[in-house]
């Protein structure tokens, strides 16, 4: 179940911008026993909060260490065919979610994932 609306801001750490890089990350997640999922963090803007403020709050709160991040929305990912599942197991931050891939390593799904996010930008929490 998603912990956010379709307008929720989705943040992905890192700079992976090719389907092949995403495919490798998926294979690693499967090998590590997580399944065909990639981690993201998301939350809805609070009252009178801008998207930029949400990004900063989530990056700080979740402790996203990457120097760069990529941005999307729940609606964009769901429209592209992905499922988001809230995952706060093992002490994960409350905003942590898994993006579940419908076909574990299909390169077209990997490209759809890449296309759902903005170009990398500096992490404002760094």
């Amino acid at each position: 179940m998603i912990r956010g609306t379709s307008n929720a801001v989705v943040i992905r750490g890192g700079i992976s911008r090719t389907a092949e890089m995403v495919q490798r990350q998926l294979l690693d997640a499967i090998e590590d026993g997580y399944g065909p999922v990639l981690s993201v963090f998301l939350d809805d803007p609070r009252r009178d909060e801008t998207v930029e403020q949400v990004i900063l709050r989530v990056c700080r709160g979740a402790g996203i260490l990457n120097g760069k991040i990529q941005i999307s929305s729940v609606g964009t990912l769901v429209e592209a065919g992905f499922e988001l599942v809230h995952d706060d197991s093992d002490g994960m931050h409350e905003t942590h979610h898994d993006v579940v891939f419908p076909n574990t390593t299909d390169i077209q799904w990997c490209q759809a994932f890449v296309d759902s996010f903005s170009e990398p930008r500096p992490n404002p929490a760094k």
Side-chain angles (χ1 to χ4, degrees), residues 4-5 7 9 15-16 20 36-37 42-44 51 53 67 72 78 82 84 90 105 107 112 115 117:
T5 68
N7 292 325
V9 178
I15 59 171
S16 298
E20 292 77 18
V37 300
L42 68 88
D43 208 356
D44 282 300
V51 168
Q53 290 169 323
S72 187
V78 169
F82 296 99
L84 288 97
D90 299 326
T105 60
I107 200 74
D115 293 343
F117 285 87

Side-chain angles (χ1 to χ4, degrees), residues 61-115:
I64 298 174
L65 301 176
N66 304 77
K68 298 220 176 194
I69 58 170
Q70 298 171 55
I71 307 300
S72 187
S73 71
V74 167
T76 299
L77 287 162
V78 169
E79 186 175 302
F82 296 99
E83 178 184 1
L84 288 97
V85 177
H86 185 231
D87 175 22
D88 60 359
S89 64
D90 299 326
M92 290 287 189
H93 191 263
E94 65 185 357
T95 60
H96 180 257
H97 285 67
D98 288 328
V99 177
V100 181
F101 281 65
N103 183 330
T104 57
T105 60
D106 185 307
I107 200 74
Q108 292 172 325
W109 282 108
C110 295
Q111 187 61 54
F113 182 77
V114 169
D115 293 343

Side-chain angles (χ1 to χ4, degrees), residues 11-15 41 52 54-71 119-126:
I11 302 162
R12 174 178 181 235
I15 59 171
F41 298 88
E52 293 304 316
V54 175
I55 294 168
L56 176 59
R57 175 173 51 79
V58 172
C59 285
R60 279 185 179 159
I64 298 174
L65 301 176
N66 304 77
K68 298 220 176 194
I69 58 170
Q70 298 171 55
I71 307 300
E119 289 292 323
R121 60 188 262 187
N123 180 345
K126 296 300 275 174

